[in-house]
Amino acid sequence: QTHLVESGGRLVQAGDSLRLSCAVSGARSANYAMGWFRQAPAKEREFVAAISWNGGITWYEDSVEGHSVEGRFTISRDNDKNLVFLQMNDLKPEDTAVYYCGASRYGERHTLQNPNKYSYWGQGTQVSVSS
């Protein structure tokens, strides 16, 4: 059974940076494309970024409710260590949410943006950005 555990979330101020980590166990992370989603209170889970199994291709949500993450967030992975990362720079209060990583056997953007295409999820890590 594949397990995902996110870490790195905390309370920060606007303009700060955070790096979230997702540790994969029970299987090789290279078996999956990986994605980061986030969910704010009373909102649906939304796509943030995804990365192909070997890290060669990355995708980002161009605009999340008018606040683009591309250019501020960077997804990466280290398959030797079974880790996936989300580097978040210039954080804004609108980035406040629980961040989840997911593992998917799909490999294209239009499917990786869909949370229903992920087989495994972590428990989430809270990111709070104060103004």
Side-chain angles (χ1 to χ4, degrees), residues 104-115:
S104 174
R105 295 193 180 276
Y106 291 90
E108 297 180 356
R109 179 193 173 106
H110 72 281
T111 51
L112 290 173
Q113 291 184 115
N114 183 348

Side-chain angles (χ1 to χ4, degrees), residues 1-2 5 9 24 37 40 49 52 56 58 87 99 113 115:
Q1 182 74 9
T2 300
V5 178
V24 181
F37 286 71
S52 62
T58 57
Q87 177 67 41
Y99 284 71
Q113 291 184 115

